[in-house]
Each structure stands twice: as structure tokens, then as C-alpha cells.
């Protein structure tokens, strides 16, 4: 059984509060601060994308030094062991693995960054002089009793953690909805009504409330 | 760990929070269950606190008073006594030589709070003797204040922020809440979940457009044509409420003479909106039980800003979508206390509480309360903030007292603004940071920061809330109201307040609509929404209930206007429209958020210029590349953000960046009715840069030099004070 974080795009306002919450929570426990969620904004979608703690995690499979392992239901990276080979970042199907190091520039506004590459460069190959970067990804804030910081900080409730209880409830809701719909269609067709017509009536009706339909989208 | 209750110092949403203090330092923030934020905060609320601790990420805090004995000399640290004596003497000389009208002041709509602003305007009016006091609403929601006072009588939101989520229809017109007020965007998401329909009218495909039921991508600069067409449709389709108009609205027939010409077909070339789509939007808004229209800078920072506000008010009034809890007007204010600055009379035509300066009876009341002869208080309206450039050039303004604003960052055509500030005879800046504007001042007075003083803020929906000090001001920094009262005392008009509550009680006595908002009532999570004339009565969540407008005849007034094109249209040389917008993780001139570790880590110089993929492609520009942006006024380096959310032909720059500074490109053209600059429309061009690595280093070099220059300007404050003033004079 795994657990992971998802976002409901119809609630996401693209404000980035989750990114900073992630960064701050990890900074507090001495881990790397590059946000472990990625905010994606296309014309249709605003959402954050992060690690799904895949059971067949390709990142764990390719890691040559066993820095990525399963810990119960989570896939974890040992930032101290990482050799920064970036294989995990290349194979992750969600683009969820990033590199993060501690920059020496910008401290107290004295030192100046001296970029050696354009900012559009992929952060997998971008390399800052003097910075040893480790692979970082979502660890579900397992160090905190409060759970994932991104979920707690989201002001619209868009970022959610899918864990055991939530998952079961979500599936049950879907099954209830499906059964109501199927029963209704069966009943109506026996009375000679058009299936499509029935469907459109149902979709405009009370059986599909907004909350459920938006959760469906997030889970696809 | 100590906890100190405060109100977020960023946008106008008025979010309550606790500041966490350890060993005399603010170390964190916890949300509180305030009336507007319900236990939520956005990124600025959570991570926008550490600037208080003088992080030196962007610019240093001001810790000691400094003066420049002569123009061109470096700043020199002096004692408070010497700084205030020097300031009082110089101001008095200018008043004696050129008259009191030659001094201009601007209030601060940010951290200081209502009390400090009240004392500043009292100093302006009762001590200096003019009405030359304004605030940044001038460059922001000034047209909403003016336009709504003309049309419905009060220049504020008629609905409350919490009630927005219970509307049946929300129309957003030139307003992007996800970037400006995430906590308000949350209410819109909630409204949608409760079944509300959302209509978005915006040239850009903003976040809310994604969840909108109708999206109207009107062309930049076509607002008045669009609003006139909306009104035209409402009347022609018989959607208006005739009974409501007969009883509560005046000027309909005359207004219609103009509006009848604006069919959606006749303006389709101007707006770019399919007439049928416009009709659908109007029907949706008109036929819902309760509709709210929200607008922002997209309406106000245009040359016809006030006129569009008049027309928005007219639209709500003819449809009777106003005066109910979930129906009305929502101009949501940008800065945390810009509503408060207006409430406190930081306005050249208004005393505190929206009482007119040219009304002799009002003047008599204030003269009596402030113990000055009536002649001392001027009946003449003062200069507007945007009058500063030409009034200085014409020799009418000789001295300027800046309180917590950074005009070189936030006002249009900043290159010209620099010349203006440099040509002043005497320039005082009271701030918490060595900003670009403060660096030019002859006197630098260190005020206290949010988190270091008590006070009351006015949230955007007229909600007064208290905030408290968490730590002491650093160095010799003093509370702003103490600085004003000491200066006033030195200039012959003594003021002696002991705390902010004493000041607030004077505000209450002088402003009937604020009288019920006592400190006691606003303890903890308490609040009071004006008008609140009585201590034992609740405030007003909603204005204009029962169609009772705050105008002399209690009726709303319809004011018609014809559409006019924007001032500077694109041409071959400058083919793109430049529109300035806001950064979600930064605030105003960025002196506060730019000094916050997490926020500056998320977004830093040179910011972005957002452009459509086609506009980028023909210029050979790729996403994230550094580019040149230039106009007739200036040229800056910025970074391309190539996205389909941007409409073709227009580029958008956020105004928070000091290197990628959009206001080097904008034009000082203002709405004649409000003096608000046309920041949303000017012509520019964007050019690719071949050597990106070189460009990245150039940008970092510019940034480092700017930070060093400002740190150097502030450095004299760290020199120990010479004990003998006569030595210094020699």
C-alpha cells in the first residue's frame, strides 16, 4: 500500500504557497530546500506535480548506490549518500525528482552569483560552481507529526494526501455513484427511454455534486 | 515562545495571524481564525515576516536618523534631536519663503497603520497648513474611490469578503485575485464549489478564467466600450429593474442618450468580443438572484479609469445587483492598509472619515477639535501624488515628505521621477529600508516596522482590525506617530499622544462612521466594519441596503461617458502593448518581501515579461531566456515567460523588480479625473539576446551593484555618533 500527494486542479490558484511550505519544512530539519513539488501552469491546468511513491519505482531501480530505497510505503532518498548521477531524475515519469544544493552566493547580499549557463537549462544538468547537489523528492514530511506541509498550507484545500482511508472513501463514493447511474439507466431503458438522454439528465441532476466530479478529475 | 497577534501586512484581505517570537526575534507565523482568512494564509502571510530581522538580503533596515547637510554630500548620522531640528528648520524656511502650499506629503498604506497616518495628515493640515497629502491609492484604486463616491456615495467595497462566496454569479473585470489576493481567490473557488457561475473579463487567461463559466477575452484598453455595451444589452433586453431605477437611481434618461449607441455589435472591433458572448454574460449576471462584480487595476490603471468605475456602478444599479449581502461591488484593495489611508484622509480633498475639506462646517469641526483658528485649515484641495512631477517642475512644490513609499519603483516613468526627486529643494524620507527613493533624501528618518508597533488596519472590505507589536524597533528607530508629533511640536503645533489608542479615540470622535470601532471591541479576533456609528451596534457588512445610497438624495447617479482610445497605441517601432501586473510572492516595491529569505528564494530578479508563443517565436525568443524590453522612456533586461495564457500582441511585466523594472518603460500619462497613471497600456518592443550566459552575468552584475549602492548609502548610520554637535557643524 502506498500513499502520495495529488492536487485538484479546479481548486488550485497557482499561488505557490505549497512550494514555500515544502521548502521551509525541509529547511527546518536540515534537509535540502528546493521545493519537492513542481507547479505546472498550462492554459488549461494549474497543478503541482510530485512523487507518487510508485511501487515499481524506477528511480530506486536505477540508483547505482542504493541511495533510493523503500521505507514501508514510501520511496525515500538518502540525500547524504546520493552521488548526483541524475539517473533517477531522468527516469522518473512524473519529473518529480530535482537536484538541490546549498549555494554559496547571495549570502547577506554580499556574494554574487556567477552563472555559467542560461536559466532555461534543465535543472538536471545545471551545475553551479562549488555546489554539490543531491537528488531530492517528496518524503511526505515523514519527519513531522503534522504530515505533509504542502497539504497543511494549501489555502483552497487543493493539495491532498491520498492515503489508506482517503483512498477507500474515494473509491466507495465512485462505486456508489456508478451504481446509482447504472441502476437508473437499466431502469429507464426498460421503459424505452434513450440512454444518452438519461445520462444528460443525470449529469445535470443532484446525483453528481460538484465536489465529487472535481475529485474525479484530480484522480485521473 | 511568545505569540503576538497581528494582521498580515501585505494585501488588503486582512488576514489575522500570530507572530512567533523567540529571544526577541520573530521566527515564524501561525494563521489565526480571522473573519476574512478563516485560519488560512497565503505564501506572503506565512513566509513574509523575516524582513523585520534586518536580513540584508536586498537592502538594510534604517536604524539611525541621517541627514545630508548640503545637496550632493553623503548622508551623515545624527541624533534624533538634531535630525528633527534640522528638518523643522528647513521646512519652516521653505514655508516662510514659498508659502505652506509648497510642501507636499504622502502617507503610507503599508505597515504603519491608521494611527500614524492620522497623525501625519493632522501635521499636514494643522501644522503646515495645506491639504497636500495623498497616498498610493492614487496609483491604484483611486478611480474606484472617486468614481464610487460620485455614483453611489462611498468609495469602498459594498459587499464583504466573506460574503463573496455566497454569490450566485461573480464577474471579475480586470482583476486577477490569484496573484493579488489569494485569500479572496479562495472565496471565489468556494463560491464556484457552492454552485456560483463565474464570468471573467480579462485580456489574459488568468487563473480564474480556468474555472470560469464564461470567459470574455476583451482587447487591452477597451474597458469602457465593453462596459457600455454591457449596459446597452441590459437595457435593450429588458433585464433592468425599472422599479428600482425609479425609486433609487437618478439620471437614467440622460445616461441612456449615450449608452444607447453602444450596442455590442457597434463596439465589436474595439472589444474583440462576439456580441452573443457579451449577451450571455449580461444575462447570466442580470438574472441571477445575487451577483457581485469585482474589479482591480485592470480597470483603474487606465486613462478612463474613473469613467469605467462610474459605468460598473451603473451596471450594478440598473440591474438591482447591489445593496444585498451577496450582491454588489467588490473593488478589492491592493495594499494592506490602502483602504485605511483613504479612511484617514490621506487624500487632498478629504479629511478623515471622507469629510470634504471644502465644506466650511467640516472645517469648523476639525479646527475646534485640533485647537487651531479656522483660517489655518485650508479649504483648498491639495496636490495629488501624481501632480508631483509637474508641480516640482513648475516650482510649486519645493519640499516633499515621503512616508514609506518608494516612488522610484512604483510610479510610472521612473527615470523622470528620479529627476523630480533630485530637483526638490528639500526631501524627507521616513521608511524602514534604504529604498531607491530613500537613497535620494536629504533627511532619512527610521520608522518602526509592522511587528514593532500597535495599531488598526482597515481591510479592503471596510473591516477595522487591530494588530500588535511583537518586538521592539531596532537601533534608534521610532514609532512613526512619535516622529510626526515631535516634528509638529518643534514647528509650533504641539502634539502629545501617549499611545495609539489615544490617537484612535480622536479618530473615532471626529469620524461619525468610525465611532463604534473601539479598541476594546477589536481586541483579539474582534473587528468592526464601517459604517459603525455606535459602540453597541454591529458594523455594516453591506452598504446601500434597501437601495439607500450614500449620496445627498440617497439615490445612485448614472454618469455616461464615451469611449476613448488609450494614449500610446502600438506602432511599427513599438509594436507590443505593455501592461504591468503583480507578482504573487512579492509585494509593492519589494523592500519587505525582497528581504524575506523564502519569498526571495522563490522569485528574484529580473522577474519576467510574459508573452505569447507567437510573439516570442518571431523574435527568436525562448522561454526563460533573458531579453531586452524597451519603450520610448527606457530599456531594461528581463526574462521571457512564454505562455499561451498571454494574449497575442501584449506583454505583461510585474512591477516588483528593480532590475527588470517595468516602470522604466511606462509612461506618465494619467486619468484626468483621478490622476491615476495609465500603467496598463503603453507601447514597447522586446528583443532577443544572443549570448545568454553573458546576459545572465550582466544581470547579476547590475543587481549586485544596485544592492551595494543602497547598502553604501545606508552605511553612514553605522558610524558612531560624534558627541559634540559643534564639531560636526565645523
Amino acid at each position: 500500500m502506498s500513499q502520495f500527494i495529488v492536487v485538484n486542479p479546479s481548486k488550485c490558484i497557482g499561488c505557490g504557497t505549497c512550494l514555500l511550505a515544502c521548502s521551509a519544512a525541509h529547511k527546518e530539519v536540515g534537509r535540502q530546500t528546493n521545493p519537492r513539488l513542481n507547479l505546472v501552469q498550462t492554459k488549461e491546468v494549474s497543478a503541482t506535480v510530485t512523487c507518487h511513491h510508485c511501487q515499481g519505482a524506477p528511480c530506486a531501480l536505477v540508483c547505482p548506490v542504493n541511495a533510493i530505497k523503500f521505507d514501508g510505503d514510501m520511496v525515500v532518498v538518502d540525500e547524504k549518500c546520493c552521488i548526483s548521477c541524475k539517473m533517477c531524475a531522468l527516469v522518473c515519469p512524473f519529473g518529480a525528482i530535482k537536484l538541490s544544493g546549498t549555494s554559496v552566493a547571495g549570502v547577506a547580499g554580499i556574494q554574487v552569483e556567477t552563472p555559467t549557463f542560461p536559466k532555461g537549462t534543465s535543472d538536471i544538468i545545471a551545475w553551479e560552481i562549488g555546489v554539490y547537489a543531491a537528488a531530492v523528492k517528496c518524503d511526505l514530511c515523514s519527519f513531522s507529526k503534522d504530515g505533509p506541509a504542502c497539504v497543511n498550507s494549501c489555502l483552497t484545500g487543493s493539495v491532498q494526501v491520498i492515503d489508506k482511508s482517503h483512498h477507500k472513501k474515494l473509491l466507495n463514493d465512485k462505486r456508489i455513484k456508478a451504481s446509482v447511474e447504472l441502476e437508473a439507466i437499466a431502469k429507464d431503458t426498460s421503459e424505452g427511454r434513450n440512454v444518452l438522454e438519461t445520462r444528460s439528465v443525470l449529469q445535470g441532476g443532484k446525483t453528481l455534486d460538484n465536489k465529487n466530479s472535481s475529485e474525479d478529475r484530480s484522480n485521473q | 515562545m511568545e505569540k503576538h497577534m497581528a494582521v498580515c501586512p501585505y494585501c488588503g484581505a486582512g488576514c489575522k495571524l500570530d507572530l512567533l517570537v523567540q529571544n526577541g526575534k520573530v521566527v515564524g507565523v501561525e494563521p489565526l481564525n480571522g473573519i476574512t482568512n478563516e485560519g488560512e494564509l497565503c505564501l506572503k502571510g506565512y513566509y513574509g515576516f523575516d524582513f523585520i530581522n534586518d536580513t540584508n538580503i536586498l537592502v538594510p533596515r534604517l536604524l539611525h536618523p541621517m541627514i545630508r547637510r548640503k545637496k550632493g554630500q553623503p548622508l551623515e548620522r545624527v541624533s534624533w534631536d538634531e535630525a528633527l531640528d534640522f528638518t523643522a528648520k528647513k521646512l519652516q524656511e521653505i514655508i516662510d519663503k514659498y508659502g505652506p502650499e509648497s510642501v507636499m506629503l504622502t502617507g503610507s498604506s503599508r505597515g504603519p497603520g491608521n494611527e500614524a497616518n492620522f497623525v501625519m495628515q493632522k501635521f499636514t493640515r494643522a501644522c503646515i497648513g495645506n491639504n497636500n497629502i495623498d497616498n498610493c491609492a492614487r496609483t491604484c484604486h483611486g478611480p474606484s474611490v472617486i468614481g464610487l463616491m460620485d455614483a453611489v456615495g462611498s468609495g469602498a467595497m459594498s459587499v464583504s469578503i466573506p460574503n463573496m462566496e455566497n454569490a450566485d454569479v461573480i464577474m471579475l473585470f480586470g482583476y486577477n485575485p490569484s496573484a493579488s489576493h489569494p485569500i479572496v481567490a479562495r472565496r471565489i473557488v468556494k463560491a464556484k464549489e457552492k454552485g456560483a457561475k463565474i464570468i471573467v473579463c480579462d485580456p489574459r487567461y488568468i487563473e480564474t478564467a480556468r474555472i470560469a463559466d464564461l470567459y470574455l477575452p476583451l482587447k487591452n484598453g477597451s474597458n469602457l466600450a465593453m462596459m457600455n455595451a454591457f449596459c446597452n444589452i441590459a437595457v435593450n433586453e429588458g433585464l433592468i429593474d425599472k422599479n428600482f431605477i425609479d425609486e433609487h437611481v437618478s439620471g437614467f434618461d440622460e445616461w441612456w442618450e449615450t449608452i444607447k449607441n453602444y450596442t455590442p455589435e457597434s463596439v465589436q472591433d474595439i472589444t474583440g468580443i462576439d456580441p452573443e458572448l457579451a449577451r450571455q454574460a449580461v444575462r447570466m449576471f442580470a438574472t441571477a438572484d445575487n451577483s457581485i462584480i469585482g474589479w482591480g487595476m485592470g480597470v483603474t490603471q487606465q486613462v478612463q479609469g474613473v469613467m469605467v468605475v462610474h459605468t460598473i456602478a451603473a451596471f450594478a444599479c440598473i440591474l438591482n445587483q447591489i445593496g444585498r449581502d451577496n450582491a454588489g461591488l467588490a473593488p478589492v484593495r491592493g495594499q494592506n492598509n490602502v483602504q485605511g489611508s483613504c479612511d484617514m484622509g490621506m487624500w487632498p480633498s478629504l479629511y478623515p472619515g471622507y469629510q470634504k475639506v471644502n465644506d466650511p462646517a467640516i472645517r469648523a469641526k476639525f479646527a475646534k477639535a485640533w485647537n487651531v483658528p479656522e483660517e489655518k485649515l485650508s479649504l483648498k484641495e491639495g496636490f495629488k501624488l501624481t501632480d508631483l512631477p509637474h508641480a516640482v517642475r513648475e516650482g510649486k512644490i519645493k519640499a516633499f515628505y515621503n512616508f514609506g513609499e518608494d516612488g522610484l519603483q512604483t510610479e510610472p516613468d521612473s527615470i523622470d521621477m528620479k529627476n523630480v526627486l533630485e530637483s526638490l529643494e528639500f526631501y524627507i524620507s521616513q521608511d524602514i529600508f534604504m529604498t531607491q527613493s530613500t537613497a535620494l533624501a536629504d533627511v532619512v528618518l527610521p520608522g518602526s516596522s509592522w511587528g514593532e508597533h500597535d495599531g488598526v488596519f482597515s481591510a479592503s472590505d471596510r473591516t477595522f482590525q487591530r494588530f500588535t507589536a511583537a518586538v521592539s524597533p531596532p537601533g534608534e528607530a521610532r514609532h512613526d506617530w512619535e516622529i510626526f508629533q515631535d516634528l509638529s511640536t518643534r514647528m509650533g503645533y504641539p502634539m502629545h499622544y501617549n499611545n495609539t489608542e489615544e490617537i484612535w479615540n480622536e479618530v473615532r470622535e471626529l469620524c461619525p462612521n468610525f465611532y463604534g470601532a473601539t479598541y476594546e471591541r477589536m481586541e483579539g479576533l474582534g473587528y468592526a466594519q464601517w459604517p459603525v456609528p455606535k459602540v453597541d451596534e454591529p458594523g455594516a457588512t453591506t452598504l446601500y441596503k434597501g437601495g439607500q445610497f450614500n449620496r445627498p438624495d440617497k439615490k445612485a447617479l448614472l454618469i455616461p461617458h464615451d469611449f476613448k482610445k488609450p494614449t500610446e497605441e502600438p506602432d511599427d517601432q513599438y509594436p507590443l502593448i505593455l501592461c504591468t501586473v503583480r507578482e504573487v510572492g512579492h509585494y509593492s516595491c519589494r523592500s519587505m518581501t525582497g528581504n524575506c529569505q523564502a519569498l526571495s528564494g522563490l522569485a528574484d530578479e529580473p522577474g519576467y515579461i510574459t508573452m505569447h508563443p507567437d510573439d516570442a517565436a518571431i523574435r527568436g525568443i525562448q522561454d526563460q531566456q533573458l531579453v531586452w524590453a524597451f519603450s520610448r522612456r527606457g530599456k531594461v533586461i528581463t526574462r521571457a515567460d512564454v505562455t499561451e495564457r498571454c494574449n497575442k500582441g501584449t506583454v505583461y511585466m510585474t512591477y516588483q523588480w528593480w532590475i527588470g523594472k517595468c516602470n522604466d518603460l511606462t509612461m506618465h500619462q494619467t486619468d484626468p479625473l483621478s490622476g491615476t497613471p495609465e500603467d496598463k497600456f503603453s507601447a514597447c518592443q522586446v528583443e532577443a539576446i544572443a549570448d545568454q550566459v553573458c546576459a545572465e552575468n550582466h544581470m547579476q552584475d547590475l543587481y549586485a551593484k544596485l544592492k551595494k549602492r543602497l547598502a553604501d548609502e545606508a552605511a553612514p548610520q553605522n558610524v558612531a555618533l560624534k558627541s559634540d554637535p559643534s564639531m560636526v557643524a565645523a
Side-chain angles (χ1 to χ4, degrees), chain A residues 9-17 19-21 24 27 41-46 108-109 112-120 152-156 210, chain B residues 40-43 46-47 56-57 178 182-183 185-186 189 192-193 195 205 207 210-211 584 597-599 602 608 624 639 644-645 692-693 696-697 700 704:
Chain A
S10 60
K11 287 185 172 198
C12 178
I13 60 168
C15 66
T17 305
L19 304 182
L20 284 192
K27 187 182 182 199
Q41 289 170 297
T42 69
K43 186 149 188 179
E44 280 78 30
V45 171
S46 288
V112 184
E113 278 185 51
T114 45
T116 52
F117 51 87
K119 200 180 173 201
N152 297 334
S153 73
C154 179
L155 56 125
T156 61
N210 281 329
Chain B
E40 303 290 348
L41 291 173
C42 79
L43 68 171
Y46 275 116
Y47 303 108
N56 273 289
I57 295 170
S178 304
I183 285 292
R186 169 179 172 266
V189 169
K192 172 85 181 172
E193 285 170 351
Y205 196 76
E207 279 293 345
R210 291 192 308 114
I211 60 166
V584 66
Q597 181 267 329
L599 294 172
L602 183 74
Y608 284 102
Q624 301 296 315
R639 196 180 296 286
E644 285 190 333
R645 288 188 180 188
Q692 284 292 310
V693 176
E696 294 283 356
N697 281 289
Q700 289 296 343

Side-chain angles (χ1 to χ4, degrees), chain B residues 616-651:
Chain B
I618 56 169
R619 290 171 176 78
I621 293 167
Q622 286 174 16
D623 188 35
Q624 301 296 315
Q625 281 188 338
L626 290 170
V627 295
W628 291 113
F630 50 100
S631 75
R632 289 183 175 84
R633 271 73 54 190
K635 179 176 182 179
V636 297
I637 193 164
T638 180
R639 196 180 296 286
D641 170 27
V642 180
T643 168
E644 285 190 333
R645 288 188 180 188
C646 180
N647 53 314
K648 211 167 150 178
T650 305
V651 291

Side-chain angles (χ1 to χ4, degrees), chain B residues 57-76:
Chain B
I57 295 170
L58 183 58
V59 282
R61 282 283 306 261
L62 297 173
L63 307 172
H64 303 282
M66 289 184 283
I67 62 170
R68 223 183 280 279
R69 289 182 195 278
K70 275 186 186 154
K71 288 270 175 197
Q73 285 186 354
L75 285 167
E76 180 189 316

Side-chain angles (χ1 to χ4, degrees), chain B residues 393-469:
Chain B
R393 229 165 254 134
E394 291 161 13
K396 290 178 185 160
I397 294 176
K398 297 289 183 184
F400 179 52
Y401 193 148
N402 169 51
F403 177 25
E405 294 286 335
D406 186 6
L408 282 189
Q409 187 61 29
T410 57
E411 300 292 318
D413 198 352
S414 38
I415 297 163
D416 184 60
M417 179 56 94
K418 184 162 181 280
N419 294 332
V420 168
L421 293 179
E422 281 172 344
S423 59
L424 284 160
E425 228 174 273
F426 189 51
Y427 170 32
I428 308 157
S429 190
Q430 180 169 321
D431 205 327
I432 59 172
F433 287 112
M434 179 53 77
T435 62
Q436 298 166 83
S437 303
T438 300
L440 298 176
D442 301 305
V443 174
V444 175
L445 303 175
S448 55
S449 162
W450 168 82
E452 295 164 359
H453 52 239
D454 300 331
V456 173
F457 285 148
S458 308
S460 183
D461 62 353
R462 300 170 276 105
T463 302
F464 290 129
Q465 298 186 107
R466 273 177 67 188
F467 59 95
T468 60

